[in-house]
C-alpha cells in the first residue's frame, strides 16, 4: 500500500468523529494502513494540532470498534494528524494547505500521493474541487484521489453538472463515490455467492428464478433531518442510490474475470437493460407513500406531517415500492421488486430470491404442498444467508414443511463499511464504489418518477407507522401472483 497524505475536509464534523477517524484507526490497528501516512484535518474554526489530536483520540475512545491497552499504538496513530483551519471559499487557505501537505511529505519522505475526502455538505463539492485544482494541490508527482459521498445531485441535471465540475480537477478513475451499502460485508459478498458457487450460478437466471425482492426498512422516522429529507424523500435518499446498487449487484452476470472493470461492466449492463419508466405510466410500477401515526416497537409515534421541520401539507414520500424489469436474456420476465421506507415494522435490509416452483402440484394428491425455495440474504442489521428448502417432518406425520439451512455471520469482529471502503480507496480498488455511468443511469431511470411525483400523477398512499407499508405495495406483487417475503 502506497504511503500517502489523507486530506479530510470537514474534520470537525459528525461523520469524521463517528465514522472516519475510527475507520482509519481500525485499519491502522489491523495493519491495513500504509507504513507511513499523514492525515491533515480541515474545518472552519481555528484549532491547534494538539487540540485536534485530542479530539481525534476522544472520538476513537468513544466510537472505535477496536480498542487497545497499548497506549503507544494510539500515540503512533495520533502523531500522523495535523490540523488547518480552512474556509472552502478562501483561496489563501488552500495555499496554506498546500504548504502543510508538502511540509509533511518532506518530513515523512513520502511520495506526493494525495487522498481528498470531502466530509462536508455536497454544495461544497465543486468549490473544493475547483480550489484544489487552482491552488496547485492537484499537481502531484504521485496519485491523487477524491472520496465523496451522496447525494450526487438532486436530479439528473444537477448530477451531470456536479460531475462536470468535479472533472475539472479529477479524472473519473480518480473519483471514489461512496455508497455505504456497497461497503456492507454481505453486499460485498453477493458477488462471491453468485459466482463462486456453481450451484447458485447455474440457477441465477429467468429459467429458475421467479422474482427478486430487495427490502430496506427502517423503524426510525425522519429524526432531526427534516430539512434535508423533506426535499429528498425515499426516492432520492434510498432508491436512486442504495437500492439500485443492490439491484445491480444481484442482477449482474458472471464477468470474464473478477476485476473492478469487469464487475463495473456487468453492473452497467444491468442498468442499460433496465426498462425505462414513462412519466405517464409511473403509477403502474411505483408506489409512493407517507407514514401516519402508529406504534413502532411498542411505542406510539406521530405521523410524518406532525414531525418537527416538515412543511405543512408535505407530499414527500417516506416509502417507495417499485417493480422493475431487466430486459435481457438472463432476466426477461423476472420482476425485481424494491421497497424501502421509514417507520416500518422492523429494521432490516435483505434480498430474497424466490425460485420457480414447477412441482407445485406434484404432491397435491397426497394433500401435501411445497413452498417455493427461497434464498434470503440478510444484509443489515444481521448478516447471513438462509436457503429455504422443503423437507418431510417425521414428527408431523411426515408432512412436507419448509426448513431453513442457515448461515449467520458473527457480527463481533466484522469491519465497518467505512473501513472496507477507505481501505479500498487507499489501495486504488474501485470495485465497490459507484461509477459515474451507474450514477447517471440511475438518475435517468429516476427522473420520470420525480417528474410524475411533482406533477402529482402518482397517488400518495398512507401507511400506519409500524407497518410494512401501504396495501398498494402488496398489490404490486399480487398482480403477478407473488407476495413479499
Ligand atoms: P457536520 O455539520 O457535522 O460537519 C460539517 C463539517 O463541514 C465541519 O467540519 C465544518 O467545519 C465543515 N464546514 C462547514 N462549512 C464550511 C466551510 N464554509 N468551509 C470549510 N469547512 C466547512 O456534518 P457531518 O454530519 O459531518 O456530514 C458531512 C457530510 O457528510 C454532509 O454532507 C452529510 O450529508 C454527509 N453524510 C453524513 C453522514 C453522517 O452520518 N453524519 C452520513 C453520510 C453522509
Amino acid at each position: 500500500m502506497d504511503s500517502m497524505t489523507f486530506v479530510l475536509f470537514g474534520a470537525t464534523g459528525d461523520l469524521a468523529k463517528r465514522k472516519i477517524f475510527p475507520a482509519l484507526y481500525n485499519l491502522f490497528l489491523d495493519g491495513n494502513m500504509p507504513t507511513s501516512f499523514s492525515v491533515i484535518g480541515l474545518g472552519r474554526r481555528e484549532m491547534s494540532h494538539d487540540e485536534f489530536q485530542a479530539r481525534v483520540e476522544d472520538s476513537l475512545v468513544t466510537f472505535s470498534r477496536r480498542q487497545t491497552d497499548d497506549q503507544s499504538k494510539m500515540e503512533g496513530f495520533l502523531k500522523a494528524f495535523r490540523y488547518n483551519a480552512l474556509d472552502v471559499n478562501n483561496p489563501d487557505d488552500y495555499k496554506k494547505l498546500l504548504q502543510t501537505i508538502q511540509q509533511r511529505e518532506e518530513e515523512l519522505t513520502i511520495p506526493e500521493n494525495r487522498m481528498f475526502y470531502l466530509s462536508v455538505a455536497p454544495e461544497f463539492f465543486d468549490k473544493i474541487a475547483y480550489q484544489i485544482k487552482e491552488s496547485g494541490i492537484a499537481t502531484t508527482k504521485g496519485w491523487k484521489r477524491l472520496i465523496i459521498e451522496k447525494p450526487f445531485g438532486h436530479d439528473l441535471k444537477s448530477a451531470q453538472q456536479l460531475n462536470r465540475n468535479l472533472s475539472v480537477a479529477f479524472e473519473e478513475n480518480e473519483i471514489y463515490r461512496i455508497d455505504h451499502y456497497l461497503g456492507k460485508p454481505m453486499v460485498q459478498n453477493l458477488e462471491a455467492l453468485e459466482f463462486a458457487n456453481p450451484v447458485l450460478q447455474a440457477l441465477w437466471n429467468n429459467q429458475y428464478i421467479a422474482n427478486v425482492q430487495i427490502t430496506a426498512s427502517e423503524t426510525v422516522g425522519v429524526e432531526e433531518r427534516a430539512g434535508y429529507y423533506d426535499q429528498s424523500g425515499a426516492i432520492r435518499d434510498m432508491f436512486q442510490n442504495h437500492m439500485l446498487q443492490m439491484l445491480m449487484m444481484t442482477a449482474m452476470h458472471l464477468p470474464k474475470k473478477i476485476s473492478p472493470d469487469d464487475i463495473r461492466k456487468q453492473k452497467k449492463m444491468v442498468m442499460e437493460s433496465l426498462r425505462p419508466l414513462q412519466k405517464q405510466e409511473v403509477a403502474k410500477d411505483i408506489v409512493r407513500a407517507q407514514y401516519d401515526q402508529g406504534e413502532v416497537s411498542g411505542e406510539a409515534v406521530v405521523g410524518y406531517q406532525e414531525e418537527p421541520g416538515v412543511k405543512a401539507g408535505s407530499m414527500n414520500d417516506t416509502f417507495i415500492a417499485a417493480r422493475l424489469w431487466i430486459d435481457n436474456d438472463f432476466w426477461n420476465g423476472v420482476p425485481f421488486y424494491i421497497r424501502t421506507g421509514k417507520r416500518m415494522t422492523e429494521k432490516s435490509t435483505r434480498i430474497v430470491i424466490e425460485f420457480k416452483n414447477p412441482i407445485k402440484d406434484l404432491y397435491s394428491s397426497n394433500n401435501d404442498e411445497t413452498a417455493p425455495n427461497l434464498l434470503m440474504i440478510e444484509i443489515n442489521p444481521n448478516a447471513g444467508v438462509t436457503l429455504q428448502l422443503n423437507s418431510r417432518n417425521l414428527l408431523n406425520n411426515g408432512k412436507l414443511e419448509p426448513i431453513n439451512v442457515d448461515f449467520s455471520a458473527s457480527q463481533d469482529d466484522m469491519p465497518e463499511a467505512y473501513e472496507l471502503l477507505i481501505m479500498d480507496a487507499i489501495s486504488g480498488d474501485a470495485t465497490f464504489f459507484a461509477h459515474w455511468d451507474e450514477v447517471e443511469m440511475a438518475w435517468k431511470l429516476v427522473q420520470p418518477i420525480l417528474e410524475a411525483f411533482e406533477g402529482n400523477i402518482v397517488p400518495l398512499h398512507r401507511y400506519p407507522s409500524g407497518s410494512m407499508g401501504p396495501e398498494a405495495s402488496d398489490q404490486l406483487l399480487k398482480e403477478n401472483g407473488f407476495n413479499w417475503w
Side-chain angles (χ1 to χ4, degrees):
M1 213 180 254
D2 303 331
S3 299
M4 50 117 214
T5 302
F6 191 95
V7 183
L8 179 60
F9 292 79
T12 53
D14 190 56
L15 184 65
K17 178 172 75 180
R18 286 190 308 110
K19 297 288 180 190
I20 303 171
F21 299 142
L24 290 170
Y25 184 54
N26 288 321
L27 290 176
F28 177 78
L29 290 180
D30 289 340
N32 288 327
M33 281 295 275
T35 16
S36 214
F37 64 95
S38 139
V39 181
I40 300 169
L42 305 163
R44 225 172 348 178
R45 60 189 156 103
E46 296 290 339
M47 199 187 309
S48 70
H49 300 312
D50 287 346
E51 223 177 307
F52 180 54
Q53 290 180 358
R55 278 177 71 108
V56 175
E57 180 170 10
D58 209 39
S59 114
L60 302 179
V61 172
T62 318
F63 297 107
S64 173
R65 174 174 67 83
R66 291 193 51 189
Q67 301 288 341
T68 167
D69 296 330
D70 184 351
Q71 192 55 24
S72 69
K73 287 244 165 73
M74 175 68 92
E75 281 161 17
F77 180 71
L78 292 176
K79 76 172 197 280
F81 284 71
R82 296 291 182 277
Y83 181 83
N84 270 22
L86 175 142
D87 182 332
V88 293
N89 294 308
N90 184 352
D92 289 340
D93 288 347
Y94 291 84
K95 300 241 166 68
K96 285 183 209 144
L97 171 61
L98 177 59
Q99 285 168 6
T100 311
I101 294 173
Q102 287 173 332
Q103 188 188 339
R104 292 293 288 151
E105 284 169 347
E106 275 167 35
E107 280 168 16
L108 298 170
T109 55
I110 56 176
E112 295 175 358
N113 296 325
R114 296 171 187 167
M115 176 77 81
F116 303 96
Y117 194 130
L118 310 194
S119 176
V120 292
E123 54 266 32
F124 294 149
F125 289 175
D126 31 19
K127 280 185 197 137
I128 295 176
Y130 175 79
Q131 294 290 355
I132 285 177
K133 164 99 176 158
E134 280 298 294
S135 60
I137 299 175
T139 315
T140 94
K141 294 199 196 78
W143 49 253
K144 64 174 192 302
R145 293 179 194 139
L146 177 74
I147 304 181
I148 51 174
E149 190 162 344
K150 62 138 206 187
F152 312 124
H154 189 70
D155 53 16
L156 177 61
K157 238 169 114 186
S158 57
Q160 287 169 330
Q161 186 59 49
L162 170 64
N163 197 55
R164 274 194 294 275
N165 295 346
L166 292 180
S167 63
V168 169
F170 295 91
E171 305 280 337
E172 173 58 27
N173 65 8
E174 295 174 324
I175 304 177
Y176 289 70
R177 294 178 196 81
I178 287 192
D179 184 308
H180 69 269
Y181 276 66
L182 288 178
K184 292 191 189 289
M186 265 302 159
V187 175
Q188 299 206 340
N189 194 24
L190 280 171
E191 162 256 297
L193 270 182
E194 292 162 30
F195 304 144
N197 296 301
V199 68
L200 290 181
Q201 176 54 37
L203 304 180
W204 216 255
N205 57 53
N206 58 2
Q207 212 184 325
Y208 299 103
I209 291 178
N211 71 79
V212 176
Q213 306 180 10
I214 307 176
T215 298
S217 58
E218 296 179 277
T219 52
V220 294
V222 65
E223 300 180 291
E224 300 86 38
R225 296 165 70 222
Y228 154 76
Y229 193 80
D230 205 37
Q231 302 299 315
S232 148
I235 187 79
R236 293 181 173 90
D237 190 46
M238 292 293 294
F239 181 86
Q240 188 273 340
N241 34 66
H242 311 313
M243 304 309 283
L244 289 178
Q245 281 293 343
M246 286 194 282
L247 175 131
M248 285 178 237
M249 293 297 292
T250 310
M252 68 177 176
H253 256 267
L254 193 64
K256 288 216 176 63
K257 55 181 193 302
I258 304 296
S259 75
D261 277 354
D262 290 73
I263 288 186
R264 278 182 165 182
K265 227 176 267 166
Q266 291 302 324
K267 287 171 70 185
K268 193 175 161 190
M269 276 165 61
V270 171
M271 288 309 290
E272 282 167 350
S273 308
L274 260 185
R275 189 180 302 168
L277 297 158
Q278 305 304 326
K279 179 176 164 186
Q280 295 301 332
E281 312 258 291
V282 161
K284 279 192 194 156
D285 294 295
I286 306 284
V287 172
R288 66 166 169 167
Q290 199 180 77
Y291 63 81
D292 275 336
Q293 65 186 64
E295 208 179 279
V296 181
S297 320
E299 230 175 86
V301 296
V302 299
Y304 182 71
Q305 299 282 338
E306 285 79 53
E307 297 276 18
V310 170
K311 66 176 183 310
S314 168
M315 294 285 284
N316 193 28
D317 47 286
T318 64
F319 175 96
I320 293 285
R323 174 177 48 204
L324 301 175
W325 302 93
I326 300 173
D327 293 328
N328 64 22
D329 289 349
F330 298 115
W331 296 116
N332 270 335
V334 180
F336 281 72
Y337 301 107
I338 288 179
R339 71 178 157 170
T340 179
K342 291 193 179 293
R343 284 283 190 239
M344 292 172 68
T345 320
E346 54 171 353
K347 177 181 168 68
S348 167
T349 303
R350 63 174 181 271
I351 299 171
V352 180
I353 316 282
E354 177 176 339
F355 291 94
K356 289 186 175 168
N357 194 9
I359 44 99
K360 208 170 174 188
D361 299 328
L362 184 64
Y363 289 89
S364 52
S365 54
N366 305 2
N367 247 348
D368 239 340
E369 56 181 309
T370 55
N373 289 157
L374 302 177
L375 180 70
M376 294 174 276
I377 302 157
E378 289 284 339
I379 292 163
N380 196 41
N382 304 313
V385 184
T386 303
L387 183 61
Q388 178 179 289
L389 304 171
N390 292 297
S391 176
R392 287 207 186 285
N393 183 351
L394 298 177
L395 299 177
N396 185 17
N397 300 321
K399 277 199 102 45
L400 276 180
E401 285 178 4
I403 57 157
N404 284 343
V405 182
D406 243 331
F407 161 73
S408 177
S410 152
Q411 296 287 74
D412 294 347
D413 279 325
M414 196 73 98
E416 286 205 16
Y418 281 91
E419 286 172 48
L420 295 172
L421 293 173
I422 291 175
M423 181 169 77
D424 284 352
I426 295 174
S427 332
D429 181 345
T431 311
F432 294 113
F433 292 83
H435 190 278
W436 167 245
D437 290 341
E438 296 158 17
V439 175
E440 186 179 37
M441 281 191 277
W443 275 121
K444 282 185 177 157
L445 180 83
V446 164
Q447 189 62 34
I449 308 179
L450 298 178
E451 288 168 16
F453 285 5
E454 271 150 35
N456 249 327
I457 51 180
V458 178
L460 179 69
H461 297 275
R462 318 203 68 83
Y463 61 103
S465 285
S467 70
M468 281 311 275
E471 166 65 28
S473 151
D474 299 334
Q475 197 52 40
L476 206 56
L477 277 72
K478 260 189 211 145
E479 286 170 12
N480 311 104
F482 300 124
N483 57 273
W484 290 107
W485 293 104

